[in-house]
Amino acid sequence: MNRTHHNGILRMEHVGQEVELVGWVAKRRNFGSINFIDLRDRSGIVQLVVNHDEYPIVQELKNEYVVSVKGLVRERQDKNAKLATGDIEVDVKEVTIINKAAQTPMIIADETDALEDTRLKYRYLDLRRPVMQERLIKRAAIVSEMRKTLDNMGFIDVETPMLTKSTPEGAREYLVPSRVHEGEFYALAQSPQIFKQLLMIGGMERYYQVARCFRDEDLRADRQLDFTQVDIEASFLDQNQFMDIIETIVDDVMINVMHEEKHEIPKIKFVDALNYYGSDKPDLRFEMKLIDFAPIFAQSEFKVFSDTLENGGVLKGLVLKGHAETLTRKVTDKYTDLVKKYGLKGLVALKYEEAGFSGSAAKFISEAEQAQMVETLGLEFGDAIFIGSGEWELTCTAIGALRLQLAKDYNLIPENKFAYCWVVDFPMFEMEDGVIIARHHPFTAPVQEHVAFLDERPLDVIAQAYDLVLNGFEVAGGSMRIYQQELQEKMFEIIGFTPEEIQRRFGFFVDAFKYGTPPHGGIAFGLDRYAMALTHSETIRDVIAFPKNASARCPLTNAPSPAVDKQLKELHLEIVKSSHEE
């Protein structure tokens, strides 16, 4: 095998050259004595032309056979504009079968008929699909570009432990039993959070790492149990200076990897993100914004609206331009069911047509309110209006979910568009089951002017936290860190940790603050999610070589699997049947 070229690079300038190629048979077509073969390698596909009278071995070739060929590049008579190599073909003079292949359980092409679990079970075949290889190559290029930019800005690549101490960082951890320390456990690191802060205390000043992280969470389209972060931390910078560094990284990725122009990244306050987009990770690729209907219905006699406003709630809604005729009862019921999943009790859906407003709630809306809606919202015949009512964040979130569903249903999102934004000024704390918890993590610093509120008004405190959002996905999240020991202890106290718990869980970390901690902050890119958004993939699993499925299982290896008795004994473990198994 003396390969002279990769298949996908052959062009008109190679006409007349003798080449030696290798790859997999993607397709064979028989036309009398002539066979046409699509030969695929990582770089792409090239058409081979073989006379089977001269080379009868070609009749043995089947899809996915691995072959080596020699031949002459020539111009094609019937050019294929859809193929990068479509102007040329290779007139084959020699064919060698390197290895045979059984019939595959799936079609190996960009468009395949295989279900996802079949794709994951035979992932090594799925990875031969050009679209999958393009995604992984793009992911690798993204990482390479980020490394290059960080290296050029003086950041040092430092590895931190995967096996560490169990610490509360917001998600359930994977525990690893120790063989040599009976009854004790390591935790797989959810992130390098504590270690990267210790690196700042250690004087590294600028750190990064492409880090493997582990969280025992329920899976969804943009989440995996084991995932990769591009983790970044820096000292002696304020929030704006640090965010400028991150924008430089993004610019280099967009220009040098995605071949796009520089993208402006607007800053949106958390409150505005909820008010206008119904999400703290707003998709800015389309314009539809949430509307505050409270001024229109301030004096409403419609009990649903009046009760909500009297109880301090909000009226949030949307206008869908020009699609009122599609809002059948079945369609509006679907959208009502959607917002109910987010906690709303119902949804008011109205159509504005030449005959006026229609919909189940139209009779409760006065003529003056109808006229104000037309004037204030600039309504035109054929528009549809949706209104939800309830507590502020819950209602915004529900109508935000409706916004995304309408965009999907009515093709409002432009193809191949990228829209970034920063979401900033997050609340420091939130209530969960009557208990105050950290909205981000317990090492996030409050804005300086809100430190005085911590004792009396903790829920009013704003954090120096920031999320980078792309196309409706949070692709990076970070914060400036607490660096004063007293403030860190105050943070632990507010979220309910006793001094004993602080010492037991974070004693080593709190102790480090005694020895001169610099101001510092950081961020972590969810690399898998970032690659998913940049490649317009539908799930995070499409940019990970060997992912778990939605049931947290690997169909390829069938992990997780039971341990044998010898392993359990060495780890001082015993499997006890749960009550429902007895």
Side-chain angles (χ1 to χ4, degrees):
M1 290 180 290
N2 183 27
R3 173 196 263 174
T4 60
H5 297 76
H6 287 87
N7 303 344
I9 70 165
L10 295 177
R11 299 291 188 273
M12 285 295 294
E13 61 262 30
H14 297 103
V15 169
Q17 293 184 23
E18 187 174 90
V19 296
E20 298 184 33
L21 310 175
V22 295
W24 287 264
V25 175
K27 185 187 294 184
R28 179 169 73 88
R29 304 178 300 284
N30 192 344
F31 292 90
S33 63
I34 298 297
N35 281 251
F36 292 96
I37 296 170
D38 289 346
L39 189 67
R40 181 188 68 244
D41 68 3
R42 195 183 75 185
S43 66
I45 287 175
V46 66
Q47 178 172 283
L48 310 179
V49 183
V50 189
N51 186 316
H52 79 246
D53 292 334
E54 296 180 41
Y55 307 101
I57 193 174
V58 72
Q59 295 295 94
E60 300 179 29
L61 299 185
K62 297 180 180 178
N63 284 2
E64 301 311 310
Y65 273 37
V66 186
V67 301
S68 171
V69 301
K70 292 182 181 180
L72 195 67
V73 181
R74 68 187 188 191
E75 185 174 0
R76 281 179 67 160
Q77 298 300 312
D78 53 337
K79 296 183 179 180
N80 184 352
K82 296 180 180 178
L83 202 62
T85 59
D87 289 343
I88 57 92
E89 60 191 9
V90 177
D91 184 14
V92 172
K93 304 302 181 185
E94 184 178 322
V95 181
T96 303
I97 295 175
I98 298 173
N99 211 342
K100 297 181 178 181
Q103 183 173 342
T104 60
M106 58 181 286
I107 296 171
I108 298 177
D110 284 352
E111 298 295 328
T112 183
D113 60 346
L115 298 175
E116 187 178 61
D117 261 19
T118 301
R119 290 177 51 207
L120 295 181
K121 182 177 180 180
Y122 299 97
R123 189 61 158 185
Y124 45 87
L125 298 179
D126 191 47
L127 290 175
R128 291 184 192 173
R129 296 167 58 220
V131 66
M132 288 298 298
Q133 295 189 348
E134 287 168 12
R135 288 168 179 156
L136 292 182
I137 291 168
K138 184 77 73 178
R139 174 189 168 121
I142 293 165
V143 177
S144 178
E145 189 65 31
M146 295 175 85
R147 282 186 181 276
K148 187 189 307 179
T149 304
L150 286 161
D151 288 340
N152 289 340
M153 290 192 292
F155 284 79
I156 309 300
D157 185 357
V158 183
E159 292 184 351
T160 56
M162 288 187 184
L163 291 173
T164 184
K165 182 181 177 65
S166 177
T167 57
E169 292 185 40
R172 188 182 294 110
E173 295 168 317
Y174 282 103
L175 296 178
V176 181
S178 170
R179 178 181 58 82
V180 295
H181 299 288
E182 183 175 350
E184 297 182 332
F185 294 80
Y186 300 102
L188 292 178
Q190 294 187 36
S191 77
Q193 182 63 48
I194 288 178
F195 289 106
K196 66 182 179 183
Q197 290 193 249
L198 291 173
L199 285 169
M200 297 301 101
I201 296 173
M204 294 303 294
E205 294 198 15
R206 293 192 172 196
Y207 139 96
Y208 81 94
Q209 179 184 187
V210 180
R212 296 293 291 162
C213 305
F214 307 87
R215 295 178 186 174
D216 188 5
E217 299 179 303
D218 294 333
L219 300 193
R220 61 189 187 198
D222 63 347
R223 181 184 285 168
Q224 279 280 293
L225 304 175
D226 49 341
F227 57 97
T228 305
Q229 288 183 351
V230 178
D231 204 48
I232 305 168
E233 198 85 2
S235 298
F236 304 116
L237 296 171
D238 64 25
Q239 179 174 323
N240 288 329
Q241 290 171 322
F242 185 78
M243 291 167 72
D244 286 344
I245 287 174
I246 304 308
E247 291 191 21
T248 299
I249 296 169
V250 169
D251 288 343
D252 287 351
V253 167
M254 296 309 295
I255 293 168
N256 298 326
V257 178
M258 303 306 299
H259 308 296
E260 295 257 337
E261 295 182 356
K262 180 177 178 179
H263 278 64
E264 293 300 318
I265 307 182
K267 292 183 177 71
I268 303 174
K269 293 182 178 181
F270 168 81
V271 169
D272 292 336
L274 266 292
N275 269 327
Y276 297 135
Y277 302 101
S279 173
D280 60 2
K281 43 183 183 294
D283 190 339
L284 303 186
R285 288 176 294 175
F286 62 105
E287 283 296 319
M288 182 186 289
K289 288 185 178 180
L290 274 60
I291 297 163
D292 181 6
F293 280 86
I296 295 175
F297 294 106
Q299 307 301 320
S300 177
E301 296 183 5
F302 183 26
K303 191 168 176 59
V304 172
F305 289 173
S306 60
D307 285 355
T308 296
L309 295 175
E310 286 174 11
N311 291 316
V314 298
L315 306 179
K316 287 286 184 179
L318 297 163
V319 173
L320 177 65
K321 302 295 293 182
H323 293 286
E325 75 282 356
T326 67
L327 290 185
T328 63
R329 177 64 180 271
K330 182 178 179 181
V331 171
T332 55
D333 284 350
K334 180 184 82 167
Y335 294 142
T336 301
D337 290 343
L338 172 65
V339 298
K340 283 182 177 179
K341 290 179 182 177
Y342 289 84
L344 289 192
K345 293 180 180 179
L347 180 69
V348 170
L350 302 168
K351 301 181 193 180
Y352 179 52
E353 298 167 307
E354 290 189 38
F357 285 89
S358 62
S360 58
K363 60 186 176 183
F364 300 110
I365 298 174
S366 69
E367 289 186 7
E369 290 165 342
Q370 292 181 13
Q372 192 175 351
M373 275 200 294
V374 173
E375 181 180 354
T376 303
L377 305 179
L379 295 182
E380 299 172 309
F381 296 139
D383 291 348
I385 304 96
F386 302 91
I387 308 171
S389 59
E391 181 270 330
W392 173 72
E393 187 166 350
L394 182 149
T395 305
C396 289
T397 302
I399 301 301
L402 176 61
R403 173 182 182 266
L404 294 177
Q405 189 62 51
L406 291 172
K408 181 179 178 181
D409 291 348
Y410 292 93
N411 298 316
L412 304 180
I413 302 175
E415 290 186 7
N416 301 318
K417 182 177 180 180
F418 297 107
Y420 285 91
C421 70
W422 286 107
V423 178
V424 298
D425 291 353
F426 284 87
M428 186 84 172
F429 305 101
E430 60 185 343
M431 295 292 292
E432 187 176 277
D433 299 326
V435 177
I436 293 179
I437 63 170
R439 189 159 193 130
H440 279 251
H441 56 62
F443 316 114
T444 300
V447 298
Q448 189 59 42
E449 56 269 31
H450 284 199
V451 171
F453 303 162
L454 285 170
D455 285 320
E456 302 297 330
R457 298 156 47 197
L459 293 178
D460 292 338
V461 175
I462 298 299
Q464 292 188 61
Y466 34 84
D467 284 353
L468 181 65
V469 177
L470 171 60
N471 293 359
F473 294 101
E474 178 200 330
V475 295
S479 66
M480 304 308 291
R481 319 301 188 192
I482 296 170
Y483 60 93
Q484 307 98 326
Q485 186 177 13
E486 298 80 9
L487 185 56
Q488 184 64 74
E489 290 175 350
K490 169 64 72 175
M491 179 69 176
F492 286 143
E493 178 187 322
I494 291 171
I495 59 178
F497 286 0
T498 65
E500 293 75 23
E501 285 178 314
I502 296 171
Q503 190 59 39
R504 177 170 56 85
R505 293 188 175 196
F506 300 104
F508 69 97
F509 185 57
V510 174
D511 287 348
F513 277 58
K514 300 175 184 176
Y515 300 103
T517 301
H520 61 285
I523 200 167
F525 278 84
L527 177 61
D528 314 287
R529 196 177 293 170
Y530 194 31
M532 178 185 75
L534 288 175
T535 58
H536 298 291
S537 300
E538 292 189 4
T539 87
I540 203 169
R541 295 184 285 276
D542 281 343
V543 293
I544 298 173
F546 300 103
K548 311 294 185 294
N549 64 13
S551 301
R553 184 173 291 280
C554 173
L556 175 65
T557 64
N558 204 33
S561 57
V564 300
D565 290 340
K566 182 175 182 293
Q567 291 173 307
L568 294 173
K569 187 174 181 180
E570 287 176 340
L571 295 171
H572 322 289
L573 295 176
E574 181 181 352
I575 303 298
V576 178
K577 288 186 177 181
S578 60
S579 57
H580 69 269
E581 292 179 311
E582 294 175 352

